[in-house]
């Protein structure tokens, strides 16, 4: 699955979603008008006949019909906006609203610990910050979901049944499925869908409240008031039915959005793990388990389209997921359905005996990552889609981090000092000035912790630094918005202390600032700008990348521009800017990246392809250049996994 195409598909789905939502709102507005105007017409009718508004009545009362319509539209819109705003605090808020329990690295439960390790490895392998991890402890079925608007505010949630009934490979397959939703834009689309559909659902909730109040009031009413009570009761019943008409259309919308993307996410899970047994095994166990994937203690209606498997029973027309057997056969075409019965007996026997083996920390010694050439195709195909080699590399990196640094990355007190320590300079004089800045902003305690951790970080290979940032990020992002902005400003000041910003400092600071901005403003998404509209930004970025440690910078720049010229043929080569490295490259590159982040996805793919040609122009790709490319991709919201490329095979 191509990341750029998937993101583009998700955006088109979002536009279709808005259109379907508008049509549903129009239908609801018409129904509300019918109920209210019929109530008005029949309010004083003692004959007991029911009269509906005709065309003449509507034309004579257009102001009333207009007021009802605008009020209904306004109410639905405000309800949806309220829900979307409540979801903007992050995917963790969705998990907590359903009873999710936050899981940390300090968990002593081996099942929780295994889950946390799998998610952490997947995050490092994917090049995104570690999501928050939650468990629905009261749910015995096998299910999971990812929620949030960006990779910076994502959360992954699984049920207790998922932990207890799945092997590590099967759990990894489920988590790979959810990471596909995070990386390919499905999670953002699904979270927005929750907010939009709430506006439709709330009308039904009001109708239910009216019905309850009139039932209670009717008991206490005398005969003279029962006629009006009956009318109000009918109005409540009408609103209730209208609301659930909205739910019906909402379910159709969710089914239209979700079904195909579930199959694609299954395929992505196979690409993540390079084996079908994990994800297919999880689906088989759902089919075989007595409790299946159903959620029992929470109302799954709002999140049904986000779940790994359906959380409730719906007809085939309204189902948000393809049938389990169809999903299994898509992964294993020769699958025999009788295997489900045998698996059900086996699972029942394991439940009765309580036998369970929890395997963790799989051996990674001697791991040799799969290498492949640094070419535009291999890199762009890897964006947003890590494979088994990246996951094994991530596992090796995670297990090779010194214990005290790993603990610091998971400590609420030490996570920020650890990230700041990554930015400290090797020069004693520069470092002392940096520490003074930290003391000014965060106090002496933070300075002491930062200085202590920096002495350990100096011993580390640079390959560990971005993973440490990814691991520590969840404990940083939950700070108040004002603090996040101050931290971003401090990071900028730290790297500019000596007036010299090296490639690694720039890369690390840009990744951190991008994640902080996504956490603070998760709905601040990007536009549909074309490359042809941003020639100066392209020229600035290409000039900066070409200049990094390169004698033939002009030729490398030209190679990148030729690649862009082949993609964007509407503008002549001579109209693109010439190679001209800016003097103040930090601020100008920042400005260029902000502009380029608004590109359409196909244009971003062309941009990344050209950048690969620039850094590989001399047939050498240094670790600094690789990390710079990863940082640029992160800023463009095109996460690139850690490099396991053969840099000598161009």
């Amino acid at each position: 699955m191509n990341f750029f195409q998937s993101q583009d598909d998700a955006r088109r789905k979002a536009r279709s979603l808005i259109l379907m939502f508008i049509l549903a709102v129009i239908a609801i507005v018409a129904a509300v008008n019918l109920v209210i105007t019929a109530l008005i017409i029949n309010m004083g009718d003692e004959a007991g006949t029911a009269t509906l508004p005709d065309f003449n009545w509507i034309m004579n009362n257009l102001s009333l019909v207009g007021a009802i319509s605008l009020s209904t539209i306004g109410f639905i819109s405000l309800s949806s906006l309220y829900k979307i705003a409540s979801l903007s605090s992050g995917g963790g808020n969705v998990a907590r609203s359903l009873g999710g329990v936050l899981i940390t690295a300090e968990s002593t439960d081996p099942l929780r610990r295994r889950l946390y390790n799998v998610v952490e490895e997947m995050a490092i392998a994917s090049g995104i910050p570690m999501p928050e991890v939650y468990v629905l402890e009261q749910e015995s079925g096998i299910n999971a979901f990812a929620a949030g608007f960006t990779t910076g505010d994502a959360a992954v949630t699984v049920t207790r049944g998922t932990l207890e009934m799945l092997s590590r490979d099967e759990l990894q397959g489920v988590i790979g499925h959810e990471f596909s939703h995070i990386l390919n834009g499905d999670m953002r689309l699904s979270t927005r869908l929750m907010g939009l559909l709430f506006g439709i659902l709330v009308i039904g909730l009001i109708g239910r409240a009216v019905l309850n109040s009139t039932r209670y009031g009717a008991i206490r009413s005398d005969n003279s008031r029962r006629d009006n009570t009956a009318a109000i009761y009918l109005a409540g019943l009408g609103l209730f039915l209208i609301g659930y008409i909205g739910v019906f259309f909402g379910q159709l919308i969710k089914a239209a959005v979700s079904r195909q993307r579930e199959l694609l996410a299954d395929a992505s899970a196979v690409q993540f793990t390079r084996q079908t047994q994990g994800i297919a095994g999880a689906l088989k166990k759902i089919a075989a388990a007595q409790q299946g994937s159903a959620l029992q203690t929470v109302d799954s209606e709002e999140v049904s389209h986000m779940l790994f498997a359906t959380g409730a029973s719906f007809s085939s027309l309204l189902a948000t997921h393809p049938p389990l057997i169809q999903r299994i056969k898509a992964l294993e075409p020769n699958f025999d359905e009788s295997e489900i019965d045998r698996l059900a007996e086996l699972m029942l026997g394991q439940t009765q005996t309580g036998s369970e083996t929890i395997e963790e920390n799989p051996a990674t010694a001697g791991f040799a990552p799969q290498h492949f050439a640094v070419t535009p195709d291999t890199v762009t195909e890897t964006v947003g889609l890590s494979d088994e080699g990246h996951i094994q590399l991530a596992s090796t990196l995670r297990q090779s981090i010194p214990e005290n640094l790993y603990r610091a990355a998971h400590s609420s007190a030490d996570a920020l000092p650890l990230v700041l320590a990554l930015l400290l300079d090797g020069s004693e004089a520069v470092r002392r000035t940096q520490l003074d800045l930290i003391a000014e902003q965060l106090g002496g305690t933070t300075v002491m912790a930062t200085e202590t951790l920096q002495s350990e970080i100096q011993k580390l290979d640079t390959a560990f630094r971005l993973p440490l940032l990814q691991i520590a990020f969840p404990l940083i992002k939950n700070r108040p918005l004002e603090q996040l902005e101050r931290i971003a400003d401090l990071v900028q000041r730290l790297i500019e202390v000596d007036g010299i910003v090296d490639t690694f400092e720039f890369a690390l600071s840009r990744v951190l600032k991008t994640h902080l901005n996504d956490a603070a403003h998760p709905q601040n998404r990007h536009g549909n700008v074309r490359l042809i509209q941003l020639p100066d930004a392209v020229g600035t970025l290409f000039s900066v990348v070409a200049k990094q440690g390169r004698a033939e910078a002009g030729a490398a720049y030209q190679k990148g521009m030729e690649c862009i010229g082949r993609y964007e043929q509407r503008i002549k080569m001579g109209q693109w800017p010439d190679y001209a490295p800016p003097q103040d490259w930090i601020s100008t590159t920042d400005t260029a990246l902000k502009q380029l982040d608004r590109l359409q996805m196909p244009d971003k793919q062309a941009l990344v392809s050209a950048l690969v040609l620039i850094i590989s122009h001399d047939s050498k790709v240094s670790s600094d250049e690789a990390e710079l490319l990863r940082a640029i991709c992160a800023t463009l919201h095109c996460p690139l996994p850690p490099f396991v490329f053969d840099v000598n095979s161009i």
Side-chain angles (χ1 to χ4, degrees):
M1 183 190 301
N2 180 277
F3 167 83
F4 302 96
Q5 184 62 51
S6 296
Q7 290 277 340
D8 219 30
D9 289 345
R11 292 190 180 192
R12 282 197 293 271
K13 282 281 188 183
R15 290 192 288 269
S16 300
L17 165 64
I18 296 297
L19 177 60
M20 288 188 286
F21 176 76
I22 291 172
L23 293 175
V25 169
I26 291 172
I28 290 172
V29 167
V32 169
N33 267 294
L34 180 63
V35 170
I36 294 179
T37 54
L39 179 66
I40 293 171
I41 292 172
N42 293 283
M43 184 70 76
D45 187 1
E46 298 180 356
T49 59
T51 304
L52 296 177
D54 56 19
F55 179 77
N56 290 330
W57 190 95
I58 292 173
M59 294 305 295
N60 291 330
N61 294 273
L62 277 179
S63 59
L64 175 62
V65 172
I68 295 171
S69 300
L70 290 175
S71 298
T72 305
I73 293 171
F75 182 76
I76 292 174
S77 300
L78 289 174
S79 299
S80 293
L81 290 173
Y82 165 79
K83 187 66 174 181
I84 291 172
S86 70
L87 295 172
S88 66
S89 57
N93 185 48
V94 178
R96 290 188 296 272
S97 71
L98 297 174
V101 177
L102 180 66
I103 306 304
T104 68
E106 285 75 29
S107 175
T108 57
D109 179 351
L111 292 173
R112 288 182 171 191
R113 181 67 197 182
R114 181 175 66 182
L115 168 66
Y116 194 91
N117 289 346
V118 168
V119 175
E120 194 166 73
E121 290 166 8
M122 198 73 72
I124 295 171
S126 303
I128 66 171
M130 173 73 180
E132 292 182 344
V133 185
Y134 291 84
V135 173
L136 300 177
E137 289 287 358
Q138 305 305 314
E139 295 293 343
S140 58
I142 301 173
N143 226 319
F145 66 87
F149 287 97
T150 70
T151 57
D153 76 326
V156 173
T157 304
V158 305
T159 60
R160 185 70 191 182
T162 301
L163 298 187
E164 293 177 345
M165 286 190 276
L166 300 188
S167 68
R168 193 184 205 277
D169 283 347
E170 291 163 349
L171 179 64
Q172 192 177 60
V174 171
I175 298 302
H177 176 105
E178 297 309 323
F179 263 74
S180 172
H181 287 316
I182 293 173
L183 291 163
N184 291 320
D186 304 340
M187 178 186 70
R188 181 171 63 252
L189 178 62
S190 296
T191 305
R192 284 178 174 163
L193 185 57
M194 280 184 67
L196 284 175
L197 295 184
F198 179 77
I200 297 174
L201 178 64
V202 77
I203 293 178
L205 297 178
I206 291 174
R208 181 188 298 172
V210 172
L211 287 176
N212 290 336
S213 66
T214 53
R215 279 200 201 100
Y216 178 69
I219 295 173
R220 302 178 54 184
S221 297
D222 55 33
N223 290 334
S224 63
R225 297 172 57 191
R226 291 195 178 183
D227 288 341
N228 285 339
T229 300
I232 296 173
Y233 181 86
L234 289 174
L237 179 62
L239 291 174
F240 178 81
L241 294 175
I242 288 167
Y244 278 87
I245 290 172
V247 171
F248 170 79
F249 283 111
Q251 196 65 34
L252 284 178
I253 292 171
K254 289 191 287 186
V257 169
S258 300
R259 285 183 190 172
Q260 186 61 30
R261 301 196 75 81
E262 291 302 318
L263 292 173
L264 293 175
D266 287 347
S268 288
V270 173
Q271 289 181 275
F272 276 131
T273 59
R274 281 295 186 268
Q275 48 96 2
T276 61
Q277 291 89 345
I279 182 73
L283 292 168
K284 291 173 188 176
K285 285 186 176 179
I286 290 174
Q290 184 177 5
Q291 53 274 69
S293 59
L295 300 183
Q296 303 294 335
T297 63
V298 298
D299 184 0
S300 63
E301 173 60 32
E302 278 193 291
V303 294
S304 61
H305 60 295
M306 305 171 77
L307 298 174
F308 173 71
T310 183
S313 297
F314 296 103
S315 69
S316 58
L317 175 66
L318 299 179
T320 54
H321 295 65
L324 283 173
I325 299 301
Q326 179 185 342
R327 292 173 69 180
I328 296 169
K329 287 190 173 182
L331 299 167
E332 297 181 358
N334 297 323
F335 170 69
D336 182 356
E337 294 184 35
S338 64
E339 183 181 336
I340 297 296
D341 295 330
R342 294 192 295 271
L343 181 58
E345 293 178 5
L346 178 62
M347 292 175 67
L348 181 61
Q350 289 176 338
T351 302
Q352 291 172 344
T353 61
S355 60
E356 182 182 80
T357 301
I358 302 173
E359 71 280 17
E360 193 40 50
N361 293 325
T364 56
F367 160 62
Q370 176 186 6
H371 293 287
F372 40 100
V374 180
T375 67
D377 286 344
T378 57
V379 174
T380 55
E381 287 172 5
T382 308
V383 170
L385 184 62
S386 54
D387 63 15
E388 182 188 19
H390 294 109
I391 293 172
Q392 290 184 343
L393 175 61
S395 179
T396 301
L397 286 170
R398 183 181 63 78
Q399 295 180 46
S400 301
I401 295 172
E403 184 62 27
N404 60 332
L405 293 180
Y406 188 77
R407 284 199 307 268
H410 294 94
S411 164
S412 56
D414 292 334
L416 180 57
L418 174 67
V419 172
L420 297 176
L422 294 171
L423 296 168
L424 292 184
D425 199 86
S427 164
E428 174 66 25
V430 175
R431 185 165 65 251
R432 190 48 49 194
T433 304
Q434 290 175 316
L435 291 170
D436 289 342
L437 285 173
I438 295 172
E440 176 188 325
Q441 291 289 324
L442 302 171
T445 303
T446 303
V447 169
M448 292 175 60
T450 303
E451 198 166 14
T452 301
L453 292 166
Q454 196 264 345
S455 63
E456 291 291 325
I457 288 171
Q458 281 184 318
K459 306 171 188 176
L460 278 183
D461 186 273
T462 55
F464 290 95
R465 299 193 177 190
L466 279 179
L468 278 171
L469 171 59
Q470 291 170 258
I471 293 170
F473 186 72
L475 291 171
I476 298 173
K477 72 173 185 179
N478 290 326
R479 296 167 181 261
L481 176 59
E482 181 184 352
Q483 286 190 28
L484 294 180
E485 292 173 345
R486 282 169 45 206
I487 291 169
D489 179 66
L490 176 61
V491 167
Q492 187 70 23
R493 294 172 66 188
L494 289 177
I495 68 171
E496 294 178 348
V497 162
D498 58 354
I500 302 172
V501 180
D502 63 32
T503 304
F504 173 76
E505 288 176 331
F506 177 80
L508 189 70
S509 65
R510 285 318 165 269
V511 172
L512 178 57
K513 289 181 72 173
T514 297
H515 293 339
L516 288 172
N517 184 66
D518 285 348
H521 308 287
Q523 295 189 70
N524 185 19
R525 297 312 298 165
H526 319 295
N528 293 303
V529 178
R530 302 302 308 270
L531 276 167
I532 195 173
Q533 299 172 256
L534 299 173
D536 291 337
V538 173
T540 295
L541 181 62
F542 284 10
S543 294
V544 168
V545 173
K547 186 181 178 182
Q548 299 304 311
R550 188 177 305 284
E552 300 178 356
Y557 175 90
Q558 187 69 15
K559 198 168 186 178
M561 279 300 181
E562 289 172 359
C563 178
I564 292 295
R566 287 192 296 271
Y567 172 77
E568 187 54 87
Q569 298 178 357
R570 291 177 296 169
I571 187 168
K572 295 180 180 179
M573 191 61 207
Q575 294 177 271
W576 291 99
D578 294 328
Y579 172 66
Q583 289 186 339
D584 182 12
W585 72 276
I586 299 297
S587 61
T588 52
T589 304
D590 272 345
T591 300
L593 286 171
K594 287 178 183 176
Q595 294 174 336
L596 294 168
D597 191 27
R598 294 160 40 223
L599 288 172
Q600 292 184 4
M601 278 296 160
D603 290 53
K604 284 188 179 182
Q605 183 173 3
L607 186 72
V608 173
S609 296
L611 288 168
V612 173
L613 288 175
I614 292 172
I615 69 168
S616 63
H617 173 68
D618 57 0
S619 299
K620 298 176 183 177
V621 179
S622 68
S623 59
D624 279 354
E625 288 173 323
E627 292 308 296
L628 177 60
L629 180 60
R630 289 189 69 202
I632 291 171
C633 286
T635 307
L636 297 175
H637 293 89
C638 305
L640 184 63
F643 266 71
V644 290
F645 301 113
D646 182 355
V647 298
N648 296 315
S649 301
I650 307 300

